[in-house]
Amino acid sequence: MKSLSIKILLLYICAIGLVFDAKAEGDDPVSMVINTTDGIFSEVNDNLEAYQANPADLQALVRSDLLPILDLHYSARLILGRAGRGIEKDKVDAFAEAMINLLVSRYADSLLQFRSTEQLWVMPQRGELNEKLTRVRTRVRLPQGGEAPVDYAFHKTPEGWKAFDIMVEGISYVTTYRNQIMPEVQAKGIDSVIERLNSGEMKLAD
Amino acid sequence: MQNKPAVFFAILLSLLLSACAGTQNRHTDPVNDPWEGLNRKTYAFNDGLDKAIVRPVAVAYDKVMPDPAKRGVGNFFRNLDAPVTYFNQLFQGKIGQSGATLARFFINSTIGLLGFFDVATKWGIPYYNEDLGQTLATWGIKKSPYLVLPFLGPSSGRDGIGRLGDSFLHPVGRAIHKRGVWGYWIFRGIDTRARYLDQDADLREAYDPYVLMRDVWLQNREYQIYDGNPPMADYDLYLEESYPEPESESGTEKPESSAE
């Protein structure tokens, strides 16, 4: 078992420090993974000092570049599971928003720490794209040697393809958070969980 | 001569048997973890041992050893696992891959100075990791109840038996069965523990550390068994259990409705 903080760190790495031979074209899931990570990386690389001086700008960049390809409200639904039943819509939205904010700020923080030299490969796609669930498999080369497998789960929404889960070495972000957050919501209530998320403590991602 | 594995086996067996009796506590995952009651007790035991002895020793080891030395020690232990991987690749019919493992073992044991240097990786020879638990899985035991082993940590019924079998394939494991070379395994345990120090915060702060450890282990194990291409999570089931989509809110469900 390698734990989640490593996993999540790896997720960050795949969005940064990527070197690609060619820009991919199109709006299929594979191109989206490549273009988005590549775009964020070169932007950060070009203006590193400015972003270090002003992390809020970086969070804004991550928000504007990364969020469009993620379906985090869908992720939030999967994570909340039955614990979300009977909870008002605005509470659920607040929960999803709290998770998004936290992930964005963590992601931005780690962008400043990990730079260049890492490489990412996208594995050949098996079979055809399934609109309900398509897996994009990638490999990230780690700074200390070796590589880590990072897979993305995409589905097609009215707004196009969106990623809603990430698996590092087979460990799913949605499944793992779900099994922690569902019982917590059931025991303590959604308000206390939202409050904890907003206070910046993401228990699983420290 | 053979009494040490026999003792280990007796512990394992008594665990399996007593597991059948003590299952009435919590059931967070009845499918994968029917022995949760017992597992939580073993987990608490391991956790106490970790806090009192194992972790402090691992922290000291981590501080004292320079990084290159740590890497070398890790390579050394990993190299000695190669025979286990090799035989299990044969058991699984992965003949081509087993050749690579054999080549790795000979290159790293000689040119790599007893395995401290991973020369084979630099030469582009792929690394594989197989064990008897994975072999049993490919032979048909796909699912096996989660089982926390005393001292050893997360495992399953299948993988507990697998570990025992693998110890006969492991070069130092064989020496243990003959002479009791426990120092090797204690050193190895400390080395392994030291690699997970960074993750302690996750566990400590998790809402349910036991469940976090279990989920991460089970998912990662599945990933190994399927050689990196496991079936994905059952998102449809997650969705079915989920609250209704915002648009289709009918308001039929009351707050505090009978979840569970």
Side-chain angles (χ1 to χ4, degrees):
Chain A
M1 183 206 84
K2 272 192 220 153
S3 107
L4 219 57
S5 66
I6 289 288
K7 311 292 168 201
I8 286 167
L9 216 54
L10 296 177
L11 308 186
Y12 301 147
I13 297 169
C14 29
I16 33 194
L18 314 177
V19 181
F20 297 104
D21 315 85
K23 269 255 191 296
E25 295 291 331
D27 52 6
D28 60 293
V30 170
S31 313
M32 288 167 75
V33 168
I34 294 177
N35 290 338
T36 306
T37 50
D38 195 26
I40 292 180
F41 168 63
S42 34
E43 172 65 24
V44 173
N45 204 36
D46 293 347
N47 304 294
L48 185 63
E49 280 172 23
Y51 284 123
Q52 276 170 335
N54 199 349
D57 286 356
L58 185 54
Q59 296 196 9
L61 169 76
V62 169
R63 253 183 184 275
S64 66
D65 279 22
L66 193 67
L67 288 193
I69 75 157
L70 300 181
D71 192 351
L72 286 174
H73 282 268
Y74 185 70
S75 305
R77 275 187 72 199
L78 296 175
I79 288 170
L80 265 184
R82 71 180 102 85
R85 285 189 187 167
I87 291 173
E88 307 91 87
K89 182 182 175 300
D90 53 338
K91 289 265 173 72
V92 171
D93 289 344
F95 169 77
E97 199 54 34
M99 289 211 57
I100 292 167
N101 287 335
L102 208 52
L103 288 171
V104 165
S105 76
R106 303 254 166 180
Y107 190 99
D109 283 350
S110 55
L111 269 176
L112 293 175
Q113 291 162 26
F114 285 77
R115 296 187 299 277
S116 65
T117 68
E118 280 88 21
Q119 277 185 287
L120 177 141
W121 302 263
V122 176
M123 314 285 277
Q125 198 69 34
R126 294 186 191 188
E128 51 193 76
L129 299 180
N130 177 338
E131 299 205 340
K132 274 193 74 186
L133 179 56
T134 282
R135 170 156 54 184
V136 177
R137 308 175 71 212
T138 70
R139 288 280 183 282
V140 183
R141 176 168 287 161
L142 301 173
Q144 71 270 28
E147 41 184 81
V150 179
D151 296 359
Y152 300 81
F154 274 83
H155 69 166
K156 195 157 192 182
T157 72
E159 292 86 45
W161 289 96
K162 303 255 184 185
F164 65 91
D165 196 5
I166 286 173
M167 287 134 280
V168 182
E169 290 188 12
I171 297 158
S172 146
Y173 154 86
V174 163
T175 301
T176 309
Y177 273 78
R178 175 184 162 87
N179 291 348
Q180 295 291 319
I181 282 181
M182 222 165 51
E184 186 182 358
V185 170
Q186 283 172 338
K188 297 185 180 170
I190 187 94
D191 291 324
S192 112
V193 175
I194 293 171
E195 198 182 317
R196 177 174 67 74
L197 294 177
N198 281 334
S199 76
E201 281 176 63
M202 182 62 125
K203 286 186 176 173
L204 298 186
D206 236 342
Chain B
M1 283 297 229
Q2 296 277 328
N3 59 343
K4 274 178 178 138
V7 167
F8 177 75
F9 191 66
I11 293 174
L12 191 70
L13 201 67
S14 69
L15 270 174
L16 292 173
L17 295 177
S18 62
C20 307
T23 55
Q24 52 273 67
N25 294 1
R26 300 181 60 183
H27 281 283
T28 54
D29 187 347
V31 178
N32 294 309
D33 192 5
W35 303 334
E36 184 165 351
L38 174 85
N39 280 339
R40 280 190 186 270
K41 286 182 193 137
T42 317
Y43 178 86
F45 168 78
N46 286 348
D47 193 44
L49 191 74
D50 184 68
K51 287 202 172 79
I53 301 169
V54 182
R55 187 174 187 281
V57 173
V59 168
Y61 170 82
D62 191 56
K63 278 216 179 84
V64 169
M65 291 279 277
D67 281 349
K70 265 186 279 190
R71 216 173 304 131
V73 170
N75 287 340
F76 170 77
F77 286 130
R78 198 167 73 153
N79 184 53
L80 281 174
D81 285 342
V84 173
T85 294
Y86 172 74
F87 284 111
N88 280 291
Q89 284 171 321
L90 293 184
F91 297 157
Q92 295 175 37
K94 295 169 177 165
I95 309 298
Q97 296 183 3
S98 75
T101 301
L102 199 61
R104 282 187 72 86
F105 186 57
F106 281 114
I107 291 168
N108 283 347
S109 300
T110 53
I111 301 170
L113 304 177
L114 295 178
F116 279 93
F117 297 94
D118 186 358
V119 182
T121 294
K122 289 207 180 68
W123 291 1
I125 302 174
Y127 166 77
Y128 299 101
N129 159 36
E130 300 288 353
D131 53 57
L132 196 55
Q134 294 183 59
T135 299
L136 292 173
T138 59
W139 286 356
I141 311 175
K142 282 270 180 286
K143 293 278 176 194
S144 177
Y146 182 62
L147 176 66
V148 182
L149 298 175
F151 305 101
L152 300 175
S155 189
S156 71
R158 174 196 63 219
D159 297 301
I161 308 254
R163 278 184 91 131
L164 184 68
D166 281 333
S167 73
F168 291 94
L169 302 173
H170 193 284
V172 181
R174 295 181 64 84
I176 285 192
H177 297 318
K178 293 210 177 75
R179 286 186 298 278
V181 188
W182 291 97
Y184 173 88
W185 296 103
I186 291 169
F187 186 18
R188 183 178 175 157
I190 293 163
D191 174 71
T192 305
R193 181 64 185 87
R195 283 167 207 285
Y196 293 117
L197 289 174
D198 286 347
Q199 281 85 63
D200 286 355
D202 293 334
L203 269 187
R204 205 172 41 239
E205 294 168 14
Y207 178 70
D208 190 337
Y210 168 84
V211 168
L212 179 59
M213 176 98 92
R214 180 188 70 198
D215 287 347
V216 167
W217 188 84
L218 284 174
Q219 290 180 76
N220 188 241
R221 191 65 181 153
E222 178 114 325
Y223 179 85
Q224 293 171 345
I225 287 167
Y226 284 91
D227 291 332
N229 201 15
M232 299 187 83
D234 191 349
Y235 298 114
D236 281 344
L237 180 71
Y238 292 1
L239 207 58
E240 256 170 49
E241 289 184 350
S242 166
Y243 52 88
E245 293 227 42
E247 290 83 9
S248 63
E249 247 188 10
S250 54
T252 47
E253 279 186 285
K254 296 181 201 119
E256 301 175 353
S257 66
S258 55
E260 282 286 351

